[in-house]
Amino acid sequence: MQLDPLTFGFEILNFLVLLWLLHRFLYKPIRAAIALRQTTLEDALIAAQTREQSAKQKELEIDQLKANWATEKASQEKALQVQLSEEKDKALDKIRQAAAIEKVRLQTLLAQEQADHSKQARITQIENAFHLVDTFLKRLSGLDLDKALVTLFSEDLLTLSDLSKQQICDALEKQKGQLMLESAHTLGDSAIAKVTLALNTLWQKNITLTTQLDSSLISGIRVSIGALVLHANLGDELRFFKEQLAHE
Amino acid sequence: MNKLIPKLVPSNLIPIPEDYQMSLRISEQGQVISIGDGIVWIEGLPSAMLDEVIYLEDGSRALVFLLDTKKVGAILLEQRTSLASGLRAKRSGHRLDIGVGDALLGRVIDPLGRSLDGNPEPETKQRGQLEISSPAILDRDFVSKPLYTGNRIIDTQIPIGKGQRQLIIGDGGLGKSSLVIDTILRQKNEDVLCIYVSIGQTRSSIATVIDTLDRHNAMSYTTLVVSEANELTGCRYLAPFAGCAIAEAWMQRGRDTLIIYDDLSQHAQAYRELSLLLHRPPGREAYPGDIFYLHSRLLERSTVLSPDLGGGSMTALPIVETKQGEISSYIPTNLISITDGQIYLDQKLFAAGILPCIDLTRSVSRIGGKAQHPAIKKEAGRIRLDYLQFLELEAFTRFGTKLEPAMEKKLQRGQLLRKILRQDRLKPVSDLGQLTWLIAYNEQWLDNYPINDIPTMLNSLEERAENSDLSLLTPREKWLSAIKNWLVSL
């Protein structure tokens, strides 16, 4: 093979031109790009490191917050439990109070109802008793009982209080000695005389009697002197007690 | 023995002692010297006591009303045809009483307890005195439970509590009696016993009341004490006391009662008539000097008893009629000062067709929200103020003034509220119904509906509320969702 020095020379020159061209138009940009990339990568690395640090910082903060939150939660839960317990106690106290009040109220009502029943039973018993007594006395009534009651009238008239005696005298004075004598049965002369004598003795003057029958007296007499009425009979006595007990 | 009921023991009637022996007994008797205008004058009976019952020889009864040196003036309670002067009169030794108890429920009776409804006489086992002293201060409890009237205005703005005395005042024919009848109808299933005392009313109006109560099944928990216009004046005077004695007996047994006095102006007139006939010195407007005491001692017996005494209550709704809206006349002012509030019915509102014609500006309940359920109280809080502001604003619209949008909105809301507060007779609203419309109004859910459709909508909403499982204690959120659904489905 023959080497042409000129060709060789031109080859070397060509090569050098190529090198220069590569160096100018390829090598530099590539190096610049590489340098830029290098810089970019370094910046990114720094940024990442910074972010990593701040993330670590944030992580620490979050852990701290979590810890605080857990503590706060525990204390709030405890406070809530305490509050709930207090509310429960208050509500229970209220309920107990209301129950106690209701108990008192119901006990009162029960006692009232029992008292009403007792009273009703008592009234019924009294009415039955009065009915029996009424029947019994009507059976027993007669002239003998009338006489006994006239004697009672005469004796008691003279043993009355001074005030009552004065009232009777005033009534007789007002009525000018006129009075009505009612009896359950027709009285004998002796009985009428007894009554007249008793009243004359009291008044110290003579009275004038008008007689009348009234079977509702059962036995005994009733003397009416104007506004005053003197009762010595079984019928009125029973009625007095019956009325008193009915309105007790 | 109940400590609230005093014992009257006259001097010649003594309890049976253990060592009793029959002896001469002295009593008094009187003689009738004159009779006329429902008054009987009796000579004698020097020991007669005021308010004592006197038996006349023919079977009539009278009540001692005046004690003179030589004679006794008594008001006739019942008058037989054989009543004449010269008859004997004797003291009973006791005050007037009336049979009380559950046997009176569903019955119509007169102030002496006699049947007026054609049925046999009521078989009562207890008796209550017409005149007794009111409960002592320490025997009372606070008014805390609501008594619902079924009226939208009253239950939300002028609430009444059990044990309160609330006066109903207004001219004749404005619907006072209708209001109280609706209140009685509202007490169905509320365990409240009602007593309606009719004083001096006509027989036709009483028949209407009985018919209305009967048709709505209200007679099962109601008693009517009736003293018609043509009754003896003494009976008209006693009617409120008779009703009060009946209510009191239930109250003392732990029950809640409602008593209506219709009306106390007639009662005052009856008392004036009796007093003038008995020659008592007349005072202002010819009323006797103790006319205030007449009503105060009656109304003071309405209260709530403490649990120690059974916890019962007596709520009173006295009615008084005014002339030409004059509430500053004698009897109305007396009653306003005695009662715990008033419901004023206005003639102008009636003429404008706003029924019930309750004037919110002049009505008040002195117990107020203390006897209102918290849920209703909370919802009703602002309504009164808003309504009163609306009334003032409405006056401006009459001048043709142009208003700001906010004011226009207020006017619209006020007109809507006025429409809501109108209510038909005999249609009381339940407590759930009250809460329903209050929430719907406060949430402004009714604002966009035509105003004429509101009454029908409200009826529908209230019906759904009553049939739901909601209660006044249900949380508001549940109420909101329920009402929203109901409105959507309407």
Side-chain angles (χ1 to χ4, degrees):
Chain A
M1 190 174 85
Q2 248 179 334
L3 272 174
D4 190 0
L6 196 68
T7 305
F8 188 73
F10 279 130
E11 287 291 330
I12 289 175
L13 184 67
N14 191 29
F15 182 71
L16 287 171
V17 168
L18 182 65
L19 270 179
W20 179 85
L21 283 172
L22 281 175
H23 184 264
R24 175 82 194 241
F25 295 109
L26 186 67
Y27 187 61
K28 261 194 182 169
I30 287 172
R31 277 186 66 96
I34 289 170
L36 183 68
R37 191 168 167 76
Q38 181 92 9
T39 314
T40 309
L41 283 173
E42 279 170 4
D43 287 343
L45 187 64
I46 291 167
Q49 279 171 348
T50 313
R51 276 205 292 279
E52 188 188 3
Q53 262 178 359
S54 72
K56 277 190 181 153
Q57 186 71 28
K58 285 253 160 28
E59 197 180 349
L60 282 172
E61 281 174 15
I62 285 168
D63 286 338
Q64 186 62 37
L65 277 173
K66 270 189 188 171
N68 290 346
W69 177 79
T71 316
E72 182 75 15
K73 182 183 167 193
S75 72
Q76 289 286 344
E77 268 177 1
K78 198 173 170 192
L80 180 66
Q81 288 302 326
V82 167
Q83 196 180 2
L84 280 173
S85 170
E86 280 173 11
E87 290 293 320
K88 186 179 159 194
D89 289 339
K90 260 191 217 169
L92 277 173
D93 280 340
K94 238 183 181 173
I95 290 169
R96 279 191 205 107
Q97 241 176 7
I101 289 170
E102 186 67 12
K103 187 179 172 188
V104 165
R105 193 183 78 86
L106 289 172
Q107 278 172 343
T108 307
L109 293 177
L110 184 65
Q112 263 179 359
E113 207 175 317
Q114 284 170 344
D116 285 344
H117 283 306
S118 304
K119 187 177 174 186
Q120 190 57 38
R122 187 163 156 261
I123 289 172
T124 310
Q125 283 167 358
I126 288 168
E127 281 173 5
N128 290 340
F130 273 111
H131 178 70
L132 283 170
V133 167
D134 190 55
T135 313
F136 179 62
L137 289 174
K138 274 177 182 157
R139 188 71 199 270
L140 285 181
S141 72
L143 284 172
D144 290 336
L145 198 47
D146 281 352
K147 275 185 194 166
L149 287 165
V150 164
T151 308
L152 180 143
F153 174 88
S154 313
E155 286 169 3
D156 282 1
L157 191 67
L158 301 171
T159 58
L160 285 173
S161 65
D162 292 339
L163 178 64
S164 300
K165 282 180 184 172
Q166 189 58 46
Q167 279 178 329
I168 295 170
C169 291
D170 290 343
L172 281 167
E173 200 65 49
K174 205 170 170 186
Q175 296 296 121
K176 295 185 176 62
Q178 306 272 349
L179 55 90
M180 167 78 74
L181 170 64
E182 292 167 282
S183 58
H185 310 97
T186 309
L187 291 174
D189 292 337
S190 59
I192 294 173
K194 218 172 190 175
V195 171
T196 311
L197 178 64
L199 286 164
N200 287 346
T201 310
L202 180 70
W203 192 33
Q204 299 294 314
K205 289 180 199 173
N206 289 331
I207 58 157
T208 312
L209 267 178
T210 311
T211 56
Q212 191 172 308
L213 282 176
D214 183 356
S215 60
S216 70
L217 302 181
I218 302 177
S219 195
I221 58 171
R222 183 199 293 144
V223 175
S224 303
I225 316 169
L228 269 187
V229 183
L230 310 177
H231 305 268
N233 63 82
L234 300 177
D236 284 345
E237 196 75 4
L238 271 178
R239 273 187 286 275
F240 281 134
F241 286 122
K242 200 174 171 184
E243 272 178 22
Q244 171 64 14
L245 289 165
H247 287 96
E248 205 173 69
Chain B
M1 187 169 134
N2 191 321
K3 65 176 177 176
L4 292 179
I5 301 175
K7 192 169 153 181
L8 178 66
V9 181
S11 56
N12 62 337
L13 284 179
I14 54 173
I16 305 171
E18 281 180 8
D19 55 348
Y20 163 76
Q21 273 187 329
M22 186 172 170
S23 60
L24 179 63
R25 195 183 287 279
I26 303 175
S27 68
E28 296 165 3
Q29 71 176 11
Q31 192 175 37
V32 175
I33 50 175
S34 76
I35 307 159
D37 301 320
I39 304 288
V40 59
W41 292 97
I42 299 168
E43 193 178 41
L45 298 181
S47 303
M49 290 181 272
L50 269 180
D51 296 332
E52 187 178 3
V53 176
I54 303 291
Y55 295 117
L56 302 176
E57 199 176 353
D58 71 328
S60 306
R61 281 190 293 170
L63 194 69
V64 174
F65 221 60
L66 185 83
L67 296 172
D68 205 346
T69 47
K70 289 182 183 165
K71 58 186 178 190
V72 165
I75 53 175
L76 277 170
L77 302 176
E78 45 187 334
Q79 190 171 349
R80 308 273 164 101
T81 49
S82 49
L83 184 61
S85 62
L87 289 176
R88 284 189 289 189
K90 70 173 188 156
R91 294 175 53 211
S92 64
H94 58 82
R95 287 197 176 117
L96 186 61
D97 54 20
I98 187 173
V100 298
D102 289 353
L104 295 178
L105 289 172
R107 302 301 305 270
V108 182
I109 57 172
D110 72 354
L112 301 177
R114 296 174 302 194
S115 166
L116 292 178
D117 51 16
N119 292 329
E121 298 295 331
E123 289 176 9
T124 53
K125 292 181 182 161
Q126 288 106 23
R127 300 195 71 80
Q129 288 194 356
L130 268 63
E131 286 263 20
I132 66 166
S133 49
S134 57
I137 294 172
L138 292 179
D139 291 340
R140 301 174 188 240
D141 201 358
F142 296 103
V143 174
S144 58
K145 290 189 255 181
L147 182 108
Y148 296 109
T149 63
N151 182 280
R152 290 196 189 108
I153 302 174
I154 297 173
D155 288 348
T156 56
Q157 308 306 310
I158 323 164
I160 300 175
K162 287 181 181 171
Q164 186 176 346
R165 294 86 45 87
Q166 186 79 349
L167 179 68
I168 298 173
I169 179 169
D171 284 1
L174 295 187
K176 299 185 294 295
S177 299
S178 304
L179 200 58
V180 296
I181 296 299
D182 284 359
T183 306
I184 294 177
L185 298 184
R186 175 64 182 82
Q187 304 316 310
K188 193 186 282 190
N189 302 324
E190 295 286 338
D191 200 25
V192 173
L193 302 177
C194 302
I195 301 99
Y196 180 84
V197 181
S198 173
I199 308 158
Q201 309 288 324
T202 57
R203 193 170 285 191
S204 59
S205 58
I206 297 163
T208 309
V209 166
I210 296 170
D211 181 58
T212 305
L213 293 175
D214 206 23
R215 271 188 292 116
H216 289 83
N217 299 322
M219 283 300 289
S220 58
Y221 54 87
T222 307
T223 300
L224 276 89
V225 179
V226 170
S227 181
E228 297 169 26
N230 61 345
E231 279 275 353
L232 288 168
T233 318
C235 281
R236 276 188 276 136
Y237 158 71
L238 289 170
F241 294 101
C244 192
I246 295 169
E248 212 157 34
W250 280 321
M251 177 177 72
Q252 286 165 3
R253 278 151 186 85
R255 307 295 299 274
D256 292 323
T257 61
L258 167 68
I259 182 161
I260 292 155
Y261 302 109
D262 191 2
D263 61 71
L264 289 184
S265 28
Q266 292 281 345
H267 183 236
Q269 285 169 22
Y271 189 60
R272 178 172 60 184
E273 190 178 324
L274 289 173
S275 301
L276 291 172
L277 287 167
L278 286 163
H279 310 143
R280 285 181 176 172
R284 180 179 164 184
E285 292 181 28
Y287 287 104
D290 62 345
I291 189 72
F292 185 95
Y293 177 55
L294 172 73
H295 290 142
S296 65
R297 72 178 188 267
L298 174 69
L299 293 171
E300 278 299 316
R301 289 158 73 176
S302 297
T303 185
V304 184
L305 292 179
S306 65
D308 295 344
L309 293 173
S313 70
M314 189 197 320
T315 310
L317 294 180
I319 295 176
V320 70
E321 190 172 298
T322 52
K323 302 282 181 217
Q324 295 182 333
E326 188 55 63
I327 62 169
S328 56
S329 55
Y330 193 21
I331 303 300
T333 47
N334 278 355
L335 288 167
I336 288 170
S337 61
I338 293 168
T339 51
D340 303 318
Q342 68 268 3
I343 295 167
Y344 180 72
L345 278 73
D346 189 46
Q347 171 68 35
K348 288 183 190 138
L349 291 174
F350 183 84
I354 298 169
L355 295 171
C357 52
I358 297 173
D359 185 351
L360 259 183
T361 58
R362 282 193 276 186
S363 302
V364 71
S365 166
R366 297 190 208 186
I367 304 293
K370 286 179 211 155
Q372 211 172 15
H373 192 280
I376 295 179
K377 184 179 175 180
K378 193 177 161 199
E379 297 296 333
R382 272 202 62 90
I383 285 182
R384 187 189 182 105
L385 187 62
D386 290 346
Y387 190 67
L388 295 176
Q389 285 176 347
F390 154 70
L391 290 175
E392 282 197 20
L393 267 178
E394 202 185 24
F396 281 109
T397 62
R398 295 195 190 110
F399 297 114
T401 327
K402 194 165 164 53
L403 298 170
E404 295 172 357
M407 297 294 118
E408 286 280 354
K409 177 75 177 166
K410 263 197 175 168
L411 268 173
Q412 279 166 13
R413 294 269 298 157
Q415 280 159 2
L416 170 65
L417 182 59
R418 180 184 274 161
K419 191 72 178 178
I420 291 171
L421 294 178
R422 287 189 197 200
Q423 197 170 340
D424 288 336
R425 275 198 61 205
L426 307 177
K427 287 186 181 170
V429 177
S430 65
D431 48 351
L432 298 176
Q434 301 286 12
L435 189 59
T436 304
W437 77 259
L438 280 168
I439 291 176
Y441 175 77
N442 285 337
E443 294 296 320
Q444 303 187 15
W445 289 339
L446 301 174
D447 290 18
N448 299 324
Y449 290 93
I451 204 160
N452 289 330
D453 292 347
I454 295 295
T456 321
M457 282 180 61
L458 285 180
N459 287 339
S460 194
L461 283 175
E462 283 155 13
E463 204 180 306
R464 286 177 198 224
E466 281 161 38
N467 293 331
S468 69
D469 56 359
L470 296 169
S471 75
L472 293 180
L473 296 170
T474 307
R476 196 173 190 267
E477 293 69 33
K478 280 194 177 168
W479 271 101
L480 288 173
S481 111
I483 295 170
K484 220 186 237 176
N485 291 336
W486 295 336
L487 282 169
V488 162
S489 64
L490 280 178

